């Protein structure tokens, strides 16, 4: 990189935060876009630098440009800030997720020294305890899946190219999804960008296990949470930061909220912990209740979303008429299985569980079925080689529970 450059959002090893973009005063008539970018002069002399922020629409057209100028001393780190106005903005909806990009540039005279591109989706949202989720003033029931970031593909494990990850996203979109909860650590950069592209409201954790943590383990967790906030805070698909997979102590909640306040002060995102309802210390700190398996309404004054409904398991049994379904029901260990159901009953339970736990409840924002794809991430049936709670199997072949939905708009049909 040029000695004068915009820093990267890599706090862990570089202690830098990069760009931060947020929108205010959003309406169908206009939106104010605030852009900040941390820059550093690592040269041996002072530099007169012009900072430029361009907002570019989905067609590549420059919508608006703002500039700022500053003399950067040798070794100085400085955060440039500008305000842009976008007239008649295209808003980001779950079923029409319009994306802009912000290109920030450092120039010395007319010479471009460095530039960085940041995603921008302009949207308002509200999670309401009585009426659920609203996106740009419109009601939207959330329906989707939990998914492991590894999401192992048979024969590849987690070593998937980005186009294979997008293939999974296209399947979730085809099934009518508009929500994803990553468990129990953050999704990859490509997957979060696809959440922006395909309109998936995202519940995003840092990293967490199945318990409270102390000492070095907590230090690792809270540092990972901070690094995740810094890296992903510009993505419009992220609506909720998940502080952990379990309730925390009061001191830990304060640390979590302090990080959000420091590094995402204008994101307006909610924060919640799965199973926060098991500990009274949670109530003053969480702003949304994250339910599990229908466990809900512990905090009636908070909005509610489901993180893991229907964890039953039913593998994809029959491939064609030449593969008889006789390797499950006659297995000598079937009595040890937690779930002794076929894939047809599994599909019926998916529908019933969704409707009973959240679909028929107007106050419920919706939630995530656990999980979308089968994989080696903790099965409850010793007769199986995978956890078989997905809508698709490990190579993304559709199971009986997969229900295609009508797609809306050209955006949903593109595969790049």
């Amino acid at each position: 990189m040029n000695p004068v450059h915009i820093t990267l959002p890599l706090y862990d090893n570089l202690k830098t935060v990069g760009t931060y973009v947020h929108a205010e005063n959003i309406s169908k008539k206009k939106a104010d876009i605030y852009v900040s970018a941390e820059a550093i002069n690592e040269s041996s002399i002072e530099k007169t630098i012009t900072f430029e922020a361009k907002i570019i629409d989905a067609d590549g057209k420059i919508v608006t440009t703002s500039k700022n100028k500053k003399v950067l001393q040798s070794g100085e780190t400085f955060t440039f800030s500008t305000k842009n106005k976008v007239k008649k903005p295209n808003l980001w909806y779950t079923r029409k997720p319009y994306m802009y990009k912000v290109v920030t540039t450092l120039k010395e005279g007319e010479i471009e020294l460095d530039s960085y591109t940041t995603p921008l989706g302009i949207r308002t949202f509200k999670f309401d305890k009585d009426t659920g989720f609203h996106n740009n003033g419109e009601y939207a029931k959330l329906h989707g899946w939990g998914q492991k970031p590894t999401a192992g593909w048979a024969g590849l494990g987690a070593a998937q190219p980005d186009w294979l990850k997008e293939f999974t996203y296209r399947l979730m979109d085809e099934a009518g999804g508009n929500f994803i909860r990553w468990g129990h650590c953050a999704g990859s950069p490509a997957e979060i960008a696809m959440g922006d592209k395909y309109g998936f409201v995202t519940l995003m954790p840092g990293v967490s296990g199945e318990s409270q943590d102390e000492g070095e383990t907590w230090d690792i967790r809270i540092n990972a949470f901070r690094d995740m906030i810094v890296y992903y805070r510009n993505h419009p698909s992220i609506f909720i930061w998940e502080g952990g997979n379990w309730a925390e102590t009061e001191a830990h909640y304060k640390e979590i909220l302090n990080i959000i306040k420091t590094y995402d002060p204008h994101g307006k995102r909610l924060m919640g912990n799965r199973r926060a309802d098991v500990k009274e210390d949670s109530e003053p700190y969480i702003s949304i209740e994250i339910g599990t398996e229908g466990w809900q309404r512990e905090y009636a004054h908070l909005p509610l979303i489901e993180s893991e409904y229907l964890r039953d398991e039913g593998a994809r049994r029959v491939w064609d008429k030449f593969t008889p379904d006789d390797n499950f029901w006659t297995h000598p260990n079937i009595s040890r299985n937690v779930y002794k159901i076929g894939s047809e009953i599994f599909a019926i339970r998916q529908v019933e569980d969704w409707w009973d736990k959240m679909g028929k409840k107007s106050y419920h924002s919706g939630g995530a079925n656990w999980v979308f794809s089968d994989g080696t991430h903790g099965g409850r049936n010793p007769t199986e080689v995978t956890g078989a709670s997905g809508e698709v199997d490990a190579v993304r072949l559709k199971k009986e529970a997969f229900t295609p939905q009508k797609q809306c708009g050209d955006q949903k049909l593109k595969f790049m």
Side-chain angles (χ1 to χ4, degrees):
M1 300 176 73
N2 190 289
V4 181
H5 58 265
I6 298 168
T7 67
L8 297 173
L10 299 176
Y11 195 90
D12 177 55
N13 56 343
L14 298 179
K15 301 297 185 288
T16 55
V17 296
T19 61
Y20 185 45
V21 178
H22 68 280
E24 301 284 354
N25 305 315
I26 301 169
S27 69
K28 292 183 178 180
K29 293 182 179 180
K30 68 177 183 66
D32 295 330
I33 311 300
Y34 293 84
V35 181
S36 65
E38 184 183 64
I40 187 169
N41 177 11
E42 292 183 330
S43 72
S44 59
I45 58 174
E46 70 177 33
K47 298 277 188 175
T48 300
I49 299 299
T50 299
F51 172 74
E52 186 176 83
K54 294 180 180 179
I55 298 179
I56 300 173
D57 68 16
D59 296 320
K61 179 183 176 181
I62 297 174
V63 176
T64 180
T65 302
S66 59
K67 296 182 179 181
N68 208 335
K69 184 176 283 190
K70 174 79 164 63
V71 176
L72 291 183
Q73 302 299 321
S74 175
E76 181 180 3
T77 299
F78 178 77
T79 299
F80 286 95
S81 298
T82 65
K83 176 183 175 181
N84 298 60
K85 283 188 178 294
V86 175
K87 296 179 181 179
K88 296 182 179 179
N90 290 292
L91 302 182
W92 190 98
Y93 290 88
T94 59
R95 300 314 291 171
K96 190 179 180 182
Y98 192 93
M99 289 296 296
Y100 295 86
K101 61 183 178 182
V102 179
V103 178
T104 47
T105 305
L106 300 181
K107 292 182 177 180
E108 185 179 18
E110 294 301 315
I111 301 174
E112 182 178 310
L113 304 180
D114 188 37
S115 67
Y116 191 84
T117 300
T118 303
L120 170 64
I122 302 172
R123 81 284 191 273
T124 63
F125 68 95
K126 180 182 180 181
F127 287 91
D128 187 271
K129 70 180 181 66
D130 298 315
T131 60
F133 176 69
H134 302 262
N135 180 200
N136 300 317
E138 296 183 3
Y139 175 78
K141 195 78 165 184
L142 297 177
H143 172 266
W145 298 271
Q147 186 75 334
K148 293 281 188 179
T150 49
W153 197 298
L156 288 175
Q160 303 166 37
D162 289 347
W163 73 266
L164 274 180
K165 294 177 181 179
E166 180 157 10
F167 183 80
T168 302
Y169 248 101
R170 280 170 50 84
L171 287 169
M172 290 191 289
D173 180 68
E174 181 185 345
N178 62 359
F179 178 66
I180 188 166
R181 183 239 177 177
W182 292 102
H184 304 151
C185 56
S188 71
E191 287 161 328
I192 306 310
M194 291 166 202
D196 296 343
K197 175 181 176 180
Y198 287 96
F200 275 65
V201 171
T202 300
L203 171 55
M204 186 70 141
V207 58
S208 181
E210 295 277 0
S211 65
Q212 287 188 34
D213 296 296
E214 300 293 340
E216 184 179 8
T217 305
W218 170 253
D219 292 341
I220 292 170
R221 268 191 56 196
I222 196 65
N223 288 339
F225 183 78
R226 177 205 60 218
D227 300 341
M228 179 269 297
I229 298 280
V230 171
Y231 193 83
Y232 286 124
R233 60 187 179 171
N234 294 309
H235 287 275
S237 56
I238 299 174
F239 287 71
I240 307 168
W241 299 122
E242 183 178 305
N245 198 45
W246 201 259
E248 306 295 344
T249 63
E250 183 177 24
H252 287 176
Y253 276 126
K254 288 181 177 180
E255 285 189 69
I256 290 168
L257 292 178
N258 183 60
I259 285 173
I260 295 172
K261 181 180 179 181
T262 300
Y263 297 104
D264 187 29
H266 305 292
K268 301 181 178 64
R269 297 173 170 101
L270 279 64
M271 193 286 291
N273 280 44
R274 172 184 170 271
R275 295 315 313 271
D277 45 49
V278 301
K279 194 171 180 63
E280 292 181 0
D281 286 350
S282 301
E283 190 168 356
Y285 303 104
I286 61 174
S287 48
I288 188 168
E289 181 180 353
I290 301 176
T292 301
E293 278 291 276
W295 189 288
Q296 58 190 243
R297 274 312 201 202
E298 295 301 300
Y299 303 125
H301 65 290
L302 293 177
L304 171 66
I305 199 163
E306 172 68 38
S307 66
E308 298 181 14
Y309 77 87
L310 199 85
R311 296 180 292 193
D312 294 10
E313 298 188 26
R316 187 178 187 278
R317 300 289 168 206
V318 181
W319 295 62
D320 52 44
K321 65 182 180 180
F322 302 108
T323 55
D325 186 10
D326 61 1
N327 63 332
F328 177 72
W329 306 107
T330 59
H331 197 288
N333 289 328
I334 192 171
S335 62
R336 297 171 55 196
N337 283 6
V338 175
Y339 304 106
K340 306 176 185 68
I341 57 175
S343 50
E344 292 82 4
I345 298 299
F346 174 73
I348 293 170
R349 288 187 182 180
Q350 294 277 12
V351 177
E352 292 177 341
D353 216 54
W354 154 257
W355 179 247
D356 289 340
K357 290 179 179 175
M358 63 209 76
K360 66 183 180 182
K361 298 172 181 176
S362 59
Y363 62 83
H364 205 303
S365 299
N369 170 230
W370 189 260
V371 291
F372 183 70
S373 59
D374 291 352
T376 55
H377 42 63
R380 295 180 174 90
N381 285 351
T383 62
E384 305 299 322
V385 296
T386 65
S389 55
E391 311 292 292
V392 296
D393 66 17
V395 291
R396 295 357 181 219
L397 292 174
K398 300 168 186 177
K399 293 159 63 175
E400 283 80 356
F402 186 97
T403 305
Q405 305 292 319
K406 182 178 180 181
Q407 298 184 350
C408 304
D410 292 340
Q411 175 70 22
K412 296 298 173 180
L413 302 177
K414 293 178 181 177
F415 183 36
M416 300 176 63

